[in-house]
């Protein structure tokens, strides 16, 4: 009768003949229990108490007990002592009161399930974080090992100029690799938080794909893959940022090359589909399990069991791809027939009206040919960073001064006429922002160009640095050409 009454109130109820049947039903999931007082005697009460005691930490199953009038009986006292989350309702009870009490219990139970989902998500995120930190440590140790070896070789006596040049080139390559890892981390943080501005212009699709192919070609060749290219015969434009779109397709090609055993087949194809353009990147690699087709785009996720095939990486490339594609109003999806049967990544982007794409023909500055005839103060608590940059500036004709803290820098500024100050931000004691304000307050140093050269690159950091009076903000390690262009004025 109660189940029928609840059904009319749109509350699904299952009637159980005895306590073992109820315990079995609870194992399949329940929103609340409604039990008559008369049932809660031995051995039913201990059985239910044991079942509720075995709940997961997130679970607190509501138990509503229909008690006889005068609900202060010893039995009810025992029930409230042995069972958690008990609500006692005296009989006779109005239907509206019973329905209201059950709806409240079910709402509370739904919140518990939401909490479970949140906890599971946090647990997965924590596991991914641990995996990411281990991967990051591995990826950073890899380039550090040859750098350390090269430094040991350079410290030997009798190193020839050719050997020295070779070791310098080795260290430069490894440092570039580490910079790319850090840049990728910063990039995915900015993009996923919507902190990236796209330069939206009509972009020729063929040009974007060809640029991506050129970026990925060394990795494709190194693995001995065959790359097939199938571009449309018509001229197609998309409205977007050419650099970011090139990044999308080079990431997909790099991903295909990494997860395909040597000598595999890669294929990139594009076609019009109504008002959209569809680009497929296909490989003959390790493939995907069905449950990975969506998860593969999540942060720090990599294909399980294929770390050797992947040859490194932080597991953020596809996260960047999805975020950038969605910023362009498109979508990306992955398909696979299963493990070792290859994968296809499909990008859909809206077409733009045909237009003449813009081309940036500005040549990159040749920093090695730069000549800087200016007075420059370099301030950083990292002595190696300060000394090496100071030596480079002196080699390029600058009058350069090195300081390792804010007080030292102010003493130099009191004695020397400066054109430029390159300041680290995260220094102990007086940080770079405070030093910048105090340098600005020196009448003898006006006008003075202030350049922040720091590892702090979040939006809040940029705002704080700008408010301190800096003219420019560069991230460590800086692009030499960009730095030299600022120093030459």
């Amino acid at each position: 009768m109660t189940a029928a009454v609840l059904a009319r109130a749109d509350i699904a109820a299952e009637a159980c003949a005895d306590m073992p049947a109820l315990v079995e039903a609870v194992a399949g999931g329940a929103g609340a229990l409604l039990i008559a007082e008369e049932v809660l005697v031995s051995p039913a009460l201990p059985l239910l108490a044991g079942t509720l005691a075995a709940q997961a930490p997130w679970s607190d199953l509501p138990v509503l007990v229909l008690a006889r009038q005068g609900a202060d009986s010893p039995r009810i006292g025992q029930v409230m002592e042995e069972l958690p989350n008990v609500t006692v309702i005296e009989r006779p009870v109005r239907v509206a009161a019973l329905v209201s009490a059950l709806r409240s219990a079910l709402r509370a139970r739904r919140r518990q399930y939401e909490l479970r989902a949140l906890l599971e998500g946090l647990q997965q995120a924590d596991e991914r974080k641990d995996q990411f930190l281990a991967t990051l440590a591995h990826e950073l140790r890899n380039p550090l090992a040859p750098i350390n070896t090269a430094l040991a070789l350079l410290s030997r006596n009798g190193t020839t100029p050719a050997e020295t040049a070779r070791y310098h080139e080795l260290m430069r390559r490894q440092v570039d690799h580490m910079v790319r890892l850090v840049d990728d981390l910063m990039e995915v943080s900015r993009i996923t938080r919507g902190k990236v501005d796209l330069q939206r212009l009509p972009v020729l699709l063929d040009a974007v794909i060809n640029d991506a192919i050129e970026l990925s070609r060394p990795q494709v060749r190194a693995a001995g893959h065959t790359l097939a290219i199938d571009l449309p015969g018509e001229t197609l434009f998309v409205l977007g940022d050419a650099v970011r779109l090139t990044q999308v397709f080079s990431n997909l090609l790099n991903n295909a090359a990494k997860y395909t055993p040597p000598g595999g087949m890669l294929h990139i194809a594009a076609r019009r589909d109504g008002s959209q353009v569809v680009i497929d990147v296909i490989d003959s690699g390790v493939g995907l399990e069905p449950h990975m087709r969506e998860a593969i785009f999540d942060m720090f996720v990599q294909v399980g069991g294929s770390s050797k095939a992947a040859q490194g990486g932080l597991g953020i490339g596809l996260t960047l791809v999805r975020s950038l594609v969605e910023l362009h109003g498109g979508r990306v999806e992955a398909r696979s027939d299963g493990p070792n049967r290859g994968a296809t990544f499909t990008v859909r982007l809206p077409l733009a009206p045909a237009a003449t794409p813009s081309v940036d023909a500005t040549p990159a500055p040749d920093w090695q040919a730069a000549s800087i005839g200016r007075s420059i103060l370099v301030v950083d608590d990292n002595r190696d960073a300060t000394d090496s940059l100071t030596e480079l500036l002196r080699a390029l004709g600058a009058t350069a001064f090195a300081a390792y803290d804010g007080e030292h820098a102010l003493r130099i500024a009191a004695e020397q006429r400066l054109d430029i100050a390159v300041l680290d931000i995260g220094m102990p004691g007086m940080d770079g922002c405070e030093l910048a304000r105090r340098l600005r307050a020196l009448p003898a140093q006006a006008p003075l160009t202030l350049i922040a050269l720091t590892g702090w690159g979040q939006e809040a950091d940029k705002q704080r640095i700008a408010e301190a009076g800096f003219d420019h903000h560069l991230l460590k390690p800086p692009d030499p050409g960009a730095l030299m262009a600022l120093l030459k004025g």
Side-chain angles (χ1 to χ4, degrees):
M1 182 185 67
T2 303
V5 169
L6 296 179
R8 288 195 294 272
D10 294 325
I11 298 176
E14 179 180 347
C16 300
D18 51 30
M19 188 58 70
L22 181 140
V23 167
E24 182 179 355
V26 166
L33 305 182
L34 180 62
I35 306 175
E37 172 191 350
E38 290 80 4
V39 176
L40 296 174
V41 294
S42 184
L45 179 57
L47 177 59
L48 178 60
T51 298
L52 296 177
Q55 295 180 95
W58 62 268
S59 179
D60 190 16
L61 181 61
V63 179
L64 287 77
V65 177
L66 290 175
R68 290 174 296 183
Q69 196 168 12
D72 54 355
S73 68
R75 181 183 299 173
I76 289 298
Q78 182 183 7
V79 168
M80 297 182 68
E81 181 74 24
E82 296 193 22
L83 301 183
N85 199 3
V86 173
T87 300
V88 178
I89 303 175
E90 286 192 0
R91 299 187 303 243
V93 57
R94 294 177 60 188
V95 170
L98 178 62
V99 169
S100 175
L102 278 170
R103 283 178 174 162
S104 296
L106 290 173
R107 279 196 299 271
R109 184 62 169 167
R110 276 193 293 270
R111 286 195 292 271
Q112 292 177 28
Y113 278 103
E114 292 169 358
L115 176 62
R116 180 185 70 172
L118 176 62
L119 290 173
E120 290 176 348
L122 291 174
Q123 182 179 4
Q124 292 175 1
D126 190 56
E127 291 171 355
R128 290 179 185 172
K129 179 204 68 177
D130 291 342
Q131 179 186 1
F132 160 69
L133 290 175
T135 303
L136 178 61
H138 173 269
E139 289 300 304
L140 291 177
R141 286 192 185 105
N142 277 343
L144 285 174
I147 290 174
N148 192 48
T149 302
L151 288 171
L153 291 169
L154 286 170
S155 66
R156 298 178 308 160
N157 292 326
T159 304
T160 67
E163 289 175 329
T164 300
R166 187 166 69 252
Y167 299 148
H168 284 162
E169 178 61 21
L170 179 151
M171 290 191 290
R172 185 194 63 76
R173 288 196 305 270
Q174 298 305 319
V175 169
D176 286 347
H177 176 64
M178 295 174 71
V179 170
R180 283 195 299 272
L181 290 176
V182 176
D183 285 348
D184 282 349
L185 286 173
M186 298 299 296
E187 185 87 333
V188 75
S189 174
R190 291 194 309 119
I191 290 174
T192 54
R193 290 184 296 113
K195 299 295 185 180
V196 62
D197 294 324
L198 298 180
Q199 304 298 318
R200 293 182 179 274
L201 295 168
V203 176
L204 185 60
L205 180 65
D206 285 13
V208 167
I209 292 178
N210 285 328
D211 287 345
I213 291 170
E214 288 307 309
L215 286 175
S216 304
R217 198 177 295 278
Q219 190 163 336
V220 173
R221 284 178 176 169
H225 297 321
T226 300
L227 175 60
I229 304 167
D230 184 11
L231 299 181
E234 58 180 319
T235 301
L236 299 177
F237 289 88
V238 292
L239 189 64
D241 189 312
V243 172
R244 297 300 187 180
L245 290 174
T246 299
Q247 184 180 6
V248 166
F249 298 114
S250 65
N251 275 9
L252 289 176
L253 286 169
N254 289 340
N255 190 73
K258 284 182 181 181
Y259 288 97
T260 299
M265 298 291 297
L266 309 182
H267 183 199
I268 183 167
R271 67 185 187 279
R272 178 198 287 267
D273 184 11
S275 61
Q276 294 183 320
V277 62
V278 180
I279 304 96
D280 292 318
V281 178
I282 308 166
D283 65 65
S284 59
V286 299
L288 296 170
E289 296 278 2
H291 70 279
M292 291 295 293
R293 293 172 192 168
E294 284 297 325
I296 196 67
F297 294 104
D298 292 339
M299 188 87 77
F300 311 136
V301 171
Q302 293 182 325
V303 178
S306 60
S307 57
K308 291 183 179 179
Q311 302 174 2
L314 299 177
I316 60 179
L318 291 179
T319 304
L320 283 171
V321 166
R322 180 178 61 182
S323 299
L324 287 171
V325 168
E326 290 177 351
L327 284 174
H328 282 84
R331 70 179 190 273
V332 59
E333 61 183 12
R335 301 191 307 277
S336 176
D337 292 331
N340 300 315
R341 302 188 68 179
T344 299
F345 289 84
T346 300
V347 175
R348 291 180 174 270
L349 293 169
L351 284 168
T356 302
S358 62
V359 178
D360 184 2
T362 304
D366 182 4
W367 70 269
Q368 298 187 54
S371 178
I372 305 170
R374 312 186 77 184
S375 179
I376 303 172
L377 172 64
V378 180
V379 189
D380 196 325
D381 61 310
N382 184 322
R383 287 179 172 261
D384 287 341
T386 304
D387 293 343
S388 59
L389 180 55
T390 302
E391 290 179 16
L392 175 61
L393 295 176
R394 288 170 180 165
L396 296 173
T399 302
F401 304 93
Y404 310 114
D405 57 57
E407 295 295 340
H408 187 192
L410 289 173
R411 289 196 298 271
I412 294 175
E415 300 170 358
Q416 305 292 336
R417 179 71 176 84
L418 303 173
D419 299 309
I420 300 170
V422 181
L423 311 182
D424 180 39
I425 297 300
M427 295 185 293
M430 186 189 307
D431 70 2
C433 290
E434 176 62 22
L435 175 58
R437 283 188 282 266
R438 293 180 65 172
L439 287 173
R440 284 279 188 229
L442 296 175
Q445 297 299 344
L448 176 65
T449 299
L450 294 180
I451 301 174
L453 181 56
T454 178
W456 300 101
Q458 300 296 328
E459 289 301 318
D461 301 318
K462 293 179 180 179
Q463 182 177 351
R464 182 169 64 94
I465 288 168
E467 290 172 352
F470 282 91
D471 300 290
H472 306 285
H473 180 188
L474 295 177
L475 288 176
K476 294 181 178 178
D479 174 71
L483 177 59
M484 296 308 152
L486 292 179
L487 296 178
K488 290 181 68 176

